Amino acid sequence: MTRFLSRCIVGGALVALAAGGSNSWAIGKVKAGETRPYFATTPRPYPVGSDSRPVVWTDTIRSPGATWLRLHFTRFDLAPGDYVSIQGSGGETHRYTGRGPHDSGDFWSFSTDGDRAVVRLHAGKGIGGGYTITEIGHGTLIAEEPVLEVVCGTDGRKDVACYSSPAPTTFRPIARLLFQDDSDGAFYVCTGSLVAGSSASTLITNNHCIDSQSETNSLQARFNYQKAACKGNQQAAASNYNGGSFLRTSTVNYTGGNSGLDYTLLTLQGSPEATWGEFTATTLEPGPGSLMLFPQHPAGGLKKLGKFEDRQQNVLCDVTAIHETYVVDSFGNTTNPASQFSYGCDSEGGSSGSPILNGGASRVWGLHHFGGVNNCNNSATHMSDICGDAGALLSCASN
């Protein structure tokens, strides 16, 4: 990545020029779909089946042109042992029981590819209340298609499967995040990662991605969303997890105190750290010239790694400046003083919330969130500041 502002392409995100024109800010949350009204419901109670749990009710959901579908269930209430299966056009199937993953009768299903989903209710001999679908998530983003990037010169990122050092398994705690935004009801994609903390399955991402319990409830965190082999077309087997508890957040803009760090901590259901592991944040700070790694889900697509700044892989990614204070919008709002460090590693909309790792991939140095600062560098919040703000919620090392 060559560091000349005139060659910097910033797209797929909100950009605000900083005072004096020396910096710009790109928020990398990418819109991936929209919410549309839809109605489907079962009888209440629904038909009785048998001990073999046959299909007693079917709804076929269609939304022409959708790249993926998510379904908003309300009044979801099944008898013990009964279940609902949702199968998409590509054959992927998700299964739900009881009162849904939040035990409230209200939830968004995981996404299925394509513009058609078949909902089947499998019933035994018990009496259940069934479900109602009140709206759908209509996907508009084809994750494998590129969008405009925050890249200078040539793009140095490659699929994680194309590296042997570090091994692709090093980046298993990284997840693609798909969630509904409170402000406009649309769906967006970002990146997050599992980190050691006082709560099981603690995930960290940006505040400008997720900032509430309701957005956490809508979250689908997808792990191992990557190629199975370098230069191949087959995807690895991925796993999806629902959002759990919203723990803590710090806003984007600096307004005093310890705000302005742009991070959110939340938990995931289902103990994903037992399968995918977790990173450890550190209060030890990088210095200028320190080698770094930047795993990410650019544009909500398959996992890539920023290890080099150029396509030819001649220039390793490193830290260019530390303890920076950036102007983040045209009103003169700034980040928390001296909370930022910059780097030339390439990013893209959807990379927001990615961990910036040390060169050995053993510790998290920072949380990526800005694009286009200091002549087209990118920026992260120092984990030392986030660790201080989060307190016991994060288990931060000092090495």
Side-chain angles (χ1 to χ4, degrees):
M1 172 176 173
T2 2
R3 296 171 189 150
F4 296 99
L5 187 57
S6 61
R7 300 183 62 192
C8 182
I9 304 170
V10 182
L14 172 65
V15 178
L17 293 179
S22 61
N23 295 325
S24 63
W25 184 34
I27 296 180
K29 180 171 66 174
V30 168
K31 186 175 180 179
E34 58 193 27
T35 300
R36 296 185 176 183
Y38 198 99
F39 184 80
T41 191
T42 63
R44 293 184 178 277
Y46 52 79
V48 174
S50 67
D51 291 340
S52 62
R53 297 294 187 304
V55 176
V56 299
W57 189 264
T58 300
D59 280 304
T60 300
I61 313 299
R62 293 183 176 89
S63 189
T67 57
W68 52 263
L69 291 175
R70 294 187 72 179
L71 314 180
H72 187 189
F73 286 93
T74 61
R75 299 176 65 191
F76 191 94
D77 187 12
L78 305 186
D82 294 354
Y83 64 95
V84 162
S85 63
I86 306 170
Q87 186 174 32
S89 303
E92 183 180 13
T93 302
H94 303 297
R95 180 168 164 166
Y96 299 95
T97 61
R99 301 183 66 233
H102 305 297
D103 197 30
S104 64
D106 189 314
F107 67 95
W108 282 96
S109 67
F110 290 149
S111 63
T112 54
D113 290 339
D115 61 3
R116 177 177 178 270
V118 180
V119 184
R120 299 181 177 94
L121 173 54
H122 302 253
K125 298 178 180 179
I127 304 299
Y131 63 77
T132 297
I133 297 170
T134 56
E135 53 189 353
I136 61 173
H138 174 103
T140 57
L141 174 71
I142 301 176
E144 284 72 33
E145 289 188 356
V147 298
L148 292 177
E149 305 163 355
V150 183
V151 170
C152 292
T154 58
D155 188 352
R157 298 167 301 176
K158 293 185 181 296
D159 293 301
V160 291
C162 294
Y163 293 91
S164 58
S165 179
T169 53
T170 304
F171 309 105
R172 286 163 64 89
I174 305 288
R176 196 280 300 271
L177 309 183
L178 175 63
F179 54 93
Q180 186 186 38
D181 188 87
D182 287 340
S183 63
D184 61 5
F187 284 86
Y188 290 84
V189 286
C190 280
T191 302
S193 60
L194 292 168
V195 289
S198 58
S199 299
S201 300
T202 297
L203 182 131
I204 190 168
T205 188
N206 287 144
N207 165 272
H208 77 251
C209 292
I210 295 176
D211 65 1
S212 69
Q213 182 63 61
S214 57
E215 291 178 351
T216 300
N217 289 345
S218 74
L219 174 61
Q220 175 183 354
R222 189 171 189 179
F223 290 86
N224 213 40
Y225 185 44
Q226 61 191 58
K227 285 189 175 182
C230 185
K231 299 182 180 180
N233 293 321
Q234 185 177 356
Q235 292 185 24
S239 294
N240 298 289
Y241 298 85
N242 290 103
S245 298
F246 180 73
L247 299 176
R248 185 175 178 84
T249 196
S250 176
T251 57
V252 181
N253 290 345
Y254 174 65
T255 56
N258 285 322
S259 62
L261 298 177
D262 194 17
Y263 78 90
T264 288
L265 294 174
L266 56 90
T267 66
L268 299 177
Q269 298 183 17
S271 302
E273 83 283 359
T275 301
W276 305 110
E278 61 187 14
F279 294 129
T280 299
T282 180
T283 57
L284 182 68
E285 297 177 347
S290 298
L291 298 182
M292 50 162 279
L293 298 167
F294 186 176
Q296 55 188 281
H297 282 286
L302 303 177
K303 191 188 303 174
K304 293 183 181 294
L305 175 64
K307 181 179 179 179
F308 294 89
E309 295 187 12
D310 60 324
R311 185 175 292 119
Q312 295 74 28
Q313 298 201 335
N314 293 321
V315 181
L316 287 163
C317 292
D318 65 357
V319 175
T320 57
I322 62 173
H323 295 302
E324 296 288 293
T325 302
Y326 293 126
V327 177
V328 298
D329 62 28
S330 58
F331 299 102
N333 292 314
T334 64
T335 56
N336 193 300
S339 65
Q340 305 296 298
F341 66 91
S342 61
Y343 37 89
C345 230
D346 297 313
S347 71
E348 190 170 344
S351 302
S352 286
S354 299
I356 301 301
L357 305 175
N358 63 3
S362 61
R363 294 288 187 264
V364 182
W365 270 342
L367 188 67
H368 170 75
H369 65 147
F370 284 176
V373 301
N374 281 1
N375 293 333
C376 211
N377 283 319
N378 288 297
S379 174
T381 301
H382 280 285
M383 284 306 303
S384 55
D385 289 303
I386 295 176
C387 287
D389 189 65
L393 290 174
L394 281 176
S395 300
C396 297
S398 57
N399 61 350

